[in-house]
Amino acid sequence: SYELTQPLSVSVALGQTATITCGGNKIGNKNVHWYQQKPGQAPVVVMYRDSNRPSGIPERFSGSNSGNTATLTISRAQAGDEADYYCQVWDGSTAHFVFGAGTKVTVL
Amino acid sequence: QVQLVESGGGAVQPGRSLRLACAASGFSFSTYGMHWVRQAPGKRLEWVAIIWSDGNSKKYADSVKGRFTISRDNSKNTLYLQMDSLRAEDTAIYYCARVAVGIDVNAFDMWGQGTQVTVSS
């Protein structure tokens, strides 16, 4: 089965840039989606298809995907960006939906 | 108001059954595929099952295949998850989520608030 690898945690200073990676075999050939989950809340999609922001998501969020790594970048990080972030793909070989383990972002 | 509201969770003994429901409102439920996704305490999101808009196509995660059944009633705008032969490892918050039709059918564009299922003797 397809596996996605994320760092457990990322820390970023207020106003600086946070980079969250999602590793997978030839993940650049897949569409990667990103979800933000704050404590006690349901996930919210923050990025579709590698680099497409849903309406209502700030331009500070951006994404890319190439080779074996997809990346979600949060520019000018704010306290409200503290959350767990999950990457997700569809594994065509099994027709299953796969999530990464999640990255906890802390804004210092 | 577009929303998904789960219900039916609770505490149950191993081997017993539970039926979850997800009431949809504010959108054309019958035109959307729907998922169940769960999250064990402190763990990652885990996809459980998908049912397509007409209810005829379904797919399950290996961890629940043969024990869980996803279904829907488009006349009631409601999604269901019948969970049989429950195990301790099924303990989780269960979310219903909507297929991101028109954006990417392999993404989830809306989630409910979840319902807690605890399997313990």
PDB file of all heavy atoms in Angstrom, chain A residues 35-44 46 60-61 78-86 104-105, chain B residues 39 95 113:
ATOM      1  N   TYR A  35      -4.951  19.141   4.545  1.00  0.00           N
ATOM      2  CA  TYR A  35      -6.022  19.467   5.476  1.00  0.00           C
ATOM      3  C   TYR A  35      -5.427  20.019   6.758  1.00  0.00           C
ATOM      4  O   TYR A  35      -4.393  19.534   7.240  1.00  0.00           O
ATOM      5  CB  TYR A  35      -6.870  18.220   5.785  1.00  0.00           C
ATOM      6  CG  TYR A  35      -7.440  17.592   4.535  1.00  0.00           C
ATOM      7  CD1 TYR A  35      -6.711  16.664   3.823  1.00  0.00           C
ATOM      8  CD2 TYR A  35      -8.691  17.970   4.037  1.00  0.00           C
ATOM      9  CE1 TYR A  35      -7.200  16.109   2.646  1.00  0.00           C
ATOM     10  CE2 TYR A  35      -9.185  17.418   2.867  1.00  0.00           C
ATOM     11  CZ  TYR A  35      -8.423  16.500   2.178  1.00  0.00           C
ATOM     12  OH  TYR A  35      -8.910  15.952   1.014  1.00  0.00           O
ATOM     13  N   GLN A  36      -6.104  21.006   7.309  1.00  0.00           N
ATOM     14  CA  GLN A  36      -5.728  21.603   8.581  1.00  0.00           C
ATOM     15  C   GLN A  36      -6.724  21.135   9.629  1.00  0.00           C
ATOM     16  O   GLN A  36      -7.936  21.205   9.415  1.00  0.00           O
ATOM     17  CB  GLN A  36      -5.780  23.133   8.474  1.00  0.00           C
ATOM     18  CG  GLN A  36      -5.524  23.882   9.755  1.00  0.00           C
ATOM     19  CD  GLN A  36      -5.924  25.343   9.619  1.00  0.00           C
ATOM     20  OE1 GLN A  36      -7.110  25.659   9.523  1.00  0.00           O
ATOM     21  NE2 GLN A  36      -4.950  26.231   9.607  1.00  0.00           N
ATOM     22  N   GLN A  37      -6.208  20.674  10.766  1.00  0.00           N
ATOM     23  CA  GLN A  37      -7.113  20.250  11.845  1.00  0.00           C
ATOM     24  C   GLN A  37      -6.657  20.891  13.151  1.00  0.00           C
ATOM     25  O   GLN A  37      -5.572  20.608  13.655  1.00  0.00           O
ATOM     26  CB  GLN A  37      -7.138  18.729  11.990  1.00  0.00           C
ATOM     27  CG  GLN A  37      -8.170  18.248  13.006  1.00  0.00           C
ATOM     28  CD  GLN A  37      -8.209  16.735  13.137  1.00  0.00           C
ATOM     29  OE1 GLN A  37      -7.192  16.053  13.011  1.00  0.00           O
ATOM     30  NE2 GLN A  37      -9.405  16.199  13.411  1.00  0.00           N
ATOM     31  N   LYS A  38      -7.509  21.739  13.696  1.00  0.00           N
ATOM     32  CA  LYS A  38      -7.244  22.353  14.983  1.00  0.00           C
ATOM     33  C   LYS A  38      -7.810  21.472  16.085  1.00  0.00           C
ATOM     34  O   LYS A  38      -8.731  20.685  15.840  1.00  0.00           O
ATOM     35  CB  LYS A  38      -7.829  23.763  15.020  1.00  0.00           C
ATOM     36  CG  LYS A  38      -7.153  24.686  14.004  1.00  0.00           C
ATOM     37  CD  LYS A  38      -7.689  26.097  14.055  1.00  0.00           C
ATOM     38  CE  LYS A  38      -6.940  26.970  13.052  1.00  0.00           C
ATOM     39  NZ  LYS A  38      -7.428  28.379  13.055  1.00  0.00           N
ATOM     40  N   PRO A  39      -7.277  21.571  17.295  1.00  0.00           N
ATOM     41  CA  PRO A  39      -7.702  20.688  18.393  1.00  0.00           C
ATOM     42  C   PRO A  39      -9.218  20.686  18.593  1.00  0.00           C
ATOM     43  O   PRO A  39      -9.841  21.750  18.680  1.00  0.00           O
ATOM     44  CB  PRO A  39      -6.979  21.279  19.599  1.00  0.00           C
ATOM     45  CG  PRO A  39      -5.758  21.909  19.042  1.00  0.00           C
ATOM     46  CD  PRO A  39      -6.179  22.470  17.715  1.00  0.00           C
ATOM     47  N   GLY A  40      -9.776  19.500  18.636  1.00  0.00           N
ATOM     48  CA  GLY A  40     -11.204  19.353  18.881  1.00  0.00           C
ATOM     49  C   GLY A  40     -12.098  19.703  17.707  1.00  0.00           C
ATOM     50  O   GLY A  40     -13.323  19.741  17.860  1.00  0.00           O
ATOM     51  N   GLN A  41     -11.496  19.950  16.547  1.00  0.00           N
ATOM     52  CA  GLN A  41     -12.283  20.340  15.385  1.00  0.00           C
ATOM     53  C   GLN A  41     -12.114  19.344  14.240  1.00  0.00           C
ATOM     54  O   GLN A  41     -11.189  18.531  14.220  1.00  0.00           O
ATOM     55  CB  GLN A  41     -11.869  21.741  14.909  1.00  0.00           C
ATOM     56  CG  GLN A  41     -12.127  22.829  15.937  1.00  0.00           C
ATOM     57  CD  GLN A  41     -11.810  24.208  15.384  1.00  0.00           C
ATOM     58  OE1 GLN A  41     -11.758  24.422  14.168  1.00  0.00           O
ATOM     59  NE2 GLN A  41     -11.606  25.159  16.286  1.00  0.00           N
ATOM     60  N   ALA A  42     -13.018  19.426  13.297  1.00  0.00           N
ATOM     61  CA  ALA A  42     -12.926  18.604  12.099  1.00  0.00           C
ATOM     62  C   ALA A  42     -11.877  19.181  11.154  1.00  0.00           C
ATOM     63  O   ALA A  42     -11.565  20.374  11.209  1.00  0.00           O
ATOM     64  CB  ALA A  42     -14.285  18.564  11.400  1.00  0.00           C
ATOM     65  N   PRO A  43     -11.331  18.346  10.291  1.00  0.00           N
ATOM     66  CA  PRO A  43     -10.368  18.859   9.294  1.00  0.00           C
ATOM     67  C   PRO A  43     -11.016  19.847   8.329  1.00  0.00           C
ATOM     68  O   PRO A  43     -12.221  19.784   8.069  1.00  0.00           O
ATOM     69  CB  PRO A  43      -9.925  17.589   8.561  1.00  0.00           C
ATOM     70  CG  PRO A  43     -10.220  16.472   9.496  1.00  0.00           C
ATOM     71  CD  PRO A  43     -11.463  16.892  10.223  1.00  0.00           C
ATOM     72  N   VAL A  44     -10.177  20.724   7.807  1.00  0.00           N
ATOM     73  CA  VAL A  44     -10.592  21.694   6.788  1.00  0.00           C
ATOM     74  C   VAL A  44      -9.555  21.627   5.665  1.00  0.00           C
ATOM     75  O   VAL A  44      -8.352  21.653   5.928  1.00  0.00           O
ATOM     76  CB  VAL A  44     -10.640  23.120   7.357  1.00  0.00           C
ATOM     77  CG1 VAL A  44     -10.882  24.130   6.240  1.00  0.00           C
ATOM     78  CG2 VAL A  44     -11.705  23.229   8.443  1.00  0.00           C
ATOM     79  N   VAL A  46      -7.127  22.904   2.981  1.00  0.00           N
ATOM     80  CA  VAL A  46      -6.421  24.169   2.755  1.00  0.00           C
ATOM     81  C   VAL A  46      -5.711  24.200   1.402  1.00  0.00           C
ATOM     82  O   VAL A  46      -5.282  25.281   0.954  1.00  0.00           O
ATOM     83  CB  VAL A  46      -5.400  24.472   3.874  1.00  0.00           C
ATOM     84  CG1 VAL A  46      -6.100  24.696   5.200  1.00  0.00           C
ATOM     85  CG2 VAL A  46      -4.357  23.352   3.991  1.00  0.00           C
ATOM     86  N   ARG A  60      -1.374  33.268   2.002  1.00  0.00           N
ATOM     87  CA  ARG A  60      -0.149  32.886   2.713  1.00  0.00           C
ATOM     88  C   ARG A  60       0.118  31.375   2.599  1.00  0.00           C
ATOM     89  O   ARG A  60       1.245  30.933   2.831  1.00  0.00           O
ATOM     90  CB  ARG A  60      -0.259  33.247   4.196  1.00  0.00           C
ATOM     91  CG  ARG A  60      -0.492  34.726   4.480  1.00  0.00           C
ATOM     92  CD  ARG A  60      -0.504  35.028   5.962  1.00  0.00           C
ATOM     93  NE  ARG A  60      -1.610  34.392   6.680  1.00  0.00           N
ATOM     94  CZ  ARG A  60      -1.482  33.308   7.418  1.00  0.00           C
ATOM     95  NH1 ARG A  60      -0.307  32.711   7.567  1.00  0.00           N
ATOM     96  NH2 ARG A  60      -2.539  32.815   8.055  1.00  0.00           N
ATOM     97  N   PHE A  61      -0.917  30.624   2.268  1.00  0.00           N
ATOM     98  CA  PHE A  61      -0.770  29.172   2.091  1.00  0.00           C
ATOM     99  C   PHE A  61      -0.475  28.882   0.618  1.00  0.00           C
ATOM    100  O   PHE A  61      -1.188  29.352  -0.272  1.00  0.00           O
ATOM    101  CB  PHE A  61      -2.047  28.441   2.512  1.00  0.00           C
ATOM    102  CG  PHE A  61      -2.267  28.397   3.992  1.00  0.00           C
ATOM    103  CD1 PHE A  61      -2.746  29.503   4.671  1.00  0.00           C
ATOM    104  CD2 PHE A  61      -1.995  27.239   4.715  1.00  0.00           C
ATOM    105  CE1 PHE A  61      -2.948  29.469   6.040  1.00  0.00           C
ATOM    106  CE2 PHE A  61      -2.202  27.187   6.082  1.00  0.00           C
ATOM    107  CZ  PHE A  61      -2.682  28.305   6.747  1.00  0.00           C
ATOM    108  N   GLN A  78       0.931  32.905  11.473  1.00  0.00           N
ATOM    109  CA  GLN A  78       0.168  33.540  12.536  1.00  0.00           C
ATOM    110  C   GLN A  78      -0.185  32.518  13.617  1.00  0.00           C
ATOM    111  O   GLN A  78      -0.186  31.316  13.366  1.00  0.00           O
ATOM    112  CB  GLN A  78      -1.108  34.150  11.961  1.00  0.00           C
ATOM    113  CG  GLN A  78      -0.873  35.191  10.884  1.00  0.00           C
ATOM    114  CD  GLN A  78      -2.175  35.750  10.318  1.00  0.00           C
ATOM    115  OE1 GLN A  78      -3.269  35.357  10.730  1.00  0.00           O
ATOM    116  NE2 GLN A  78      -2.058  36.670   9.377  1.00  0.00           N
ATOM    117  N   ALA A  79      -0.528  33.024  14.789  1.00  0.00           N
ATOM    118  CA  ALA A  79      -0.881  32.125  15.890  1.00  0.00           C
ATOM    119  C   ALA A  79      -2.058  31.221  15.501  1.00  0.00           C
ATOM    120  O   ALA A  79      -2.122  30.061  15.909  1.00  0.00           O
ATOM    121  CB  ALA A  79      -1.224  32.936  17.130  1.00  0.00           C
ATOM    122  N   GLY A  80      -2.950  31.733  14.691  1.00  0.00           N
ATOM    123  CA  GLY A  80      -4.118  30.969  14.255  1.00  0.00           C
ATOM    124  C   GLY A  80      -3.795  29.845  13.296  1.00  0.00           C
ATOM    125  O   GLY A  80      -4.675  29.037  12.982  1.00  0.00           O
ATOM    126  N   ASP A  81      -2.546  29.766  12.845  1.00  0.00           N
ATOM    127  CA  ASP A  81      -2.153  28.684  11.942  1.00  0.00           C
ATOM    128  C   ASP A  81      -1.719  27.440  12.708  1.00  0.00           C
ATOM    129  O   ASP A  81      -1.460  26.401  12.096  1.00  0.00           O
ATOM    130  CB  ASP A  81      -0.996  29.135  11.043  1.00  0.00           C
ATOM    131  CG  ASP A  81      -1.368  30.300  10.148  1.00  0.00           C
ATOM    132  OD1 ASP A  81      -2.560  30.422   9.792  1.00  0.00           O
ATOM    133  OD2 ASP A  81      -0.470  31.100   9.806  1.00  0.00           O
ATOM    134  N   GLU A  82      -1.622  27.549  14.038  1.00  0.00           N
ATOM    135  CA  GLU A  82      -1.251  26.382  14.836  1.00  0.00           C
ATOM    136  C   GLU A  82      -2.307  25.299  14.683  1.00  0.00           C
ATOM    137  O   GLU A  82      -3.493  25.525  14.938  1.00  0.00           O
ATOM    138  CB  GLU A  82      -1.104  26.750  16.311  1.00  0.00           C
ATOM    139  CG  GLU A  82       0.163  27.497  16.638  1.00  0.00           C
ATOM    140  CD  GLU A  82       0.523  27.384  18.106  1.00  0.00           C
ATOM    141  OE1 GLU A  82      -0.382  27.110  18.924  1.00  0.00           O
ATOM    142  OE2 GLU A  82       1.702  27.572  18.436  1.00  0.00           O
ATOM    143  N   ALA A  83      -1.861  24.134  14.250  1.00  0.00           N
ATOM    144  CA  ALA A  83      -2.786  23.032  13.950  1.00  0.00           C
ATOM    145  C   ALA A  83      -1.977  21.820  13.502  1.00  0.00           C
ATOM    146  O   ALA A  83      -0.759  21.900  13.323  1.00  0.00           O
ATOM    147  CB  ALA A  83      -3.757  23.426  12.838  1.00  0.00           C
ATOM    148  N   ASP A  84      -2.685  20.717  13.331  1.00  0.00           N
ATOM    149  CA  ASP A  84      -2.103  19.556  12.661  1.00  0.00           C
ATOM    150  C   ASP A  84      -2.440  19.656  11.180  1.00  0.00           C
ATOM    151  O   ASP A  84      -3.566  20.010  10.810  1.00  0.00           O
ATOM    152  CB  ASP A  84      -2.679  18.260  13.234  1.00  0.00           C
ATOM    153  CG  ASP A  84      -2.258  18.012  14.668  1.00  0.00           C
ATOM    154  OD1 ASP A  84      -1.135  18.403  15.035  1.00  0.00           O
ATOM    155  OD2 ASP A  84      -3.058  17.428  15.426  1.00  0.00           O
ATOM    156  N   TYR A  85      -1.463  19.327  10.343  1.00  0.00           N
ATOM    157  CA  TYR A  85      -1.665  19.373   8.895  1.00  0.00           C
ATOM    158  C   TYR A  85      -1.422  17.984   8.316  1.00  0.00           C
ATOM    159  O   TYR A  85      -0.396  17.357   8.587  1.00  0.00           O
ATOM    160  CB  TYR A  85      -0.707  20.390   8.260  1.00  0.00           C
ATOM    161  CG  TYR A  85      -1.066  21.815   8.614  1.00  0.00           C
ATOM    162  CD1 TYR A  85      -0.641  22.381   9.815  1.00  0.00           C
ATOM    163  CD2 TYR A  85      -1.853  22.582   7.757  1.00  0.00           C
ATOM    164  CE1 TYR A  85      -0.990  23.681  10.154  1.00  0.00           C
ATOM    165  CE2 TYR A  85      -2.199  23.883   8.090  1.00  0.00           C
ATOM    166  CZ  TYR A  85      -1.766  24.421   9.291  1.00  0.00           C
ATOM    167  OH  TYR A  85      -2.122  25.708   9.626  1.00  0.00           O
ATOM    168  N   TYR A  86      -2.385  17.526   7.531  1.00  0.00           N
ATOM    169  CA  TYR A  86      -2.319  16.195   6.927  1.00  0.00           C
ATOM    170  C   TYR A  86      -2.287  16.299   5.405  1.00  0.00           C
ATOM    171  O   TYR A  86      -3.097  17.018   4.820  1.00  0.00           O
ATOM    172  CB  TYR A  86      -3.549  15.368   7.314  1.00  0.00           C
ATOM    173  CG  TYR A  86      -3.651  15.032   8.775  1.00  0.00           C
ATOM    174  CD1 TYR A  86      -4.301  15.883   9.659  1.00  0.00           C
ATOM    175  CD2 TYR A  86      -3.111  13.847   9.271  1.00  0.00           C
ATOM    176  CE1 TYR A  86      -4.404  15.562  11.010  1.00  0.00           C
ATOM    177  CE2 TYR A  86      -3.211  13.525  10.626  1.00  0.00           C
ATOM    178  CZ  TYR A  86      -3.858  14.395  11.480  1.00  0.00           C
ATOM    179  OH  TYR A  86      -3.957  14.071  12.809  1.00  0.00           O
ATOM    180  N   LYS A 104       2.395  18.540  13.300  1.00  0.00           N
ATOM    181  CA  LYS A 104       1.919  19.562  14.235  1.00  0.00           C
ATOM    182  C   LYS A 104       2.738  20.827  14.039  1.00  0.00           C
ATOM    183  O   LYS A 104       3.961  20.809  14.211  1.00  0.00           O
ATOM    184  CB  LYS A 104       2.035  19.092  15.676  1.00  0.00           C
ATOM    185  CG  LYS A 104       1.524  20.099  16.702  1.00  0.00           C
ATOM    186  CD  LYS A 104       1.602  19.540  18.104  1.00  0.00           C
ATOM    187  CE  LYS A 104       1.069  20.522  19.123  1.00  0.00           C
ATOM    188  NZ  LYS A 104      -0.368  20.848  18.871  1.00  0.00           N
ATOM    189  N   VAL A 105       2.084  21.906  13.683  1.00  0.00           N
ATOM    190  CA  VAL A 105       2.752  23.183  13.490  1.00  0.00           C
ATOM    191  C   VAL A 105       2.563  24.047  14.724  1.00  0.00           C
ATOM    192  O   VAL A 105       1.433  24.285  15.154  1.00  0.00           O
ATOM    193  CB  VAL A 105       2.219  23.906  12.235  1.00  0.00           C
ATOM    194  CG1 VAL A 105       2.748  25.332  12.169  1.00  0.00           C
ATOM    195  CG2 VAL A 105       2.604  23.136  10.978  1.00  0.00           C
TER     196      VAL A 105
ATOM    197  N   GLN B  39     -10.649   8.736  13.227  1.00  0.00           N
ATOM    198  CA  GLN B  39      -9.406   9.191  13.854  1.00  0.00           C
ATOM    199  C   GLN B  39      -9.351   8.647  15.271  1.00  0.00           C
ATOM    200  O   GLN B  39     -10.108   9.102  16.141  1.00  0.00           O
ATOM    201  CB  GLN B  39      -9.311  10.717  13.841  1.00  0.00           C
ATOM    202  CG  GLN B  39      -7.981  11.262  14.304  1.00  0.00           C
ATOM    203  CD  GLN B  39      -7.867  12.757  14.073  1.00  0.00           C
ATOM    204  OE1 GLN B  39      -8.837  13.495  14.197  1.00  0.00           O
ATOM    205  NE2 GLN B  39      -6.667  13.207  13.711  1.00  0.00           N
ATOM    206  N   TYR B  95     -15.900  10.621  11.285  1.00  0.00           N
ATOM    207  CA  TYR B  95     -16.354  11.783  10.532  1.00  0.00           C
ATOM    208  C   TYR B  95     -16.987  11.337   9.210  1.00  0.00           C
ATOM    209  O   TYR B  95     -16.481  10.426   8.558  1.00  0.00           O
ATOM    210  CB  TYR B  95     -15.176  12.688  10.167  1.00  0.00           C
ATOM    211  CG  TYR B  95     -14.419  13.298  11.308  1.00  0.00           C
ATOM    212  CD1 TYR B  95     -13.224  12.749  11.756  1.00  0.00           C
ATOM    213  CD2 TYR B  95     -14.873  14.473  11.918  1.00  0.00           C
ATOM    214  CE1 TYR B  95     -12.502  13.325  12.791  1.00  0.00           C
ATOM    215  CE2 TYR B  95     -14.165  15.061  12.952  1.00  0.00           C
ATOM    216  CZ  TYR B  95     -12.984  14.482  13.377  1.00  0.00           C
ATOM    217  OH  TYR B  95     -12.275  15.069  14.404  1.00  0.00           O
ATOM    218  N   GLN B 113     -18.664  17.256  12.191  1.00  0.00           N
ATOM    219  CA  GLN B 113     -17.926  17.469  13.440  1.00  0.00           C
ATOM    220  C   GLN B 113     -17.520  16.170  14.110  1.00  0.00           C
ATOM    221  O   GLN B 113     -16.734  16.176  15.053  1.00  0.00           O
ATOM    222  CB  GLN B 113     -18.749  18.315  14.399  1.00  0.00           C
ATOM    223  CG  GLN B 113     -18.766  19.786  14.027  1.00  0.00           C
ATOM    224  CD  GLN B 113     -17.370  20.370  13.926  1.00  0.00           C
ATOM    225  OE1 GLN B 113     -16.586  20.314  14.856  1.00  0.00           O
ATOM    226  NE2 GLN B 113     -17.042  20.933  12.758  1.00  0.00           N
TER     227      GLN B 113
END
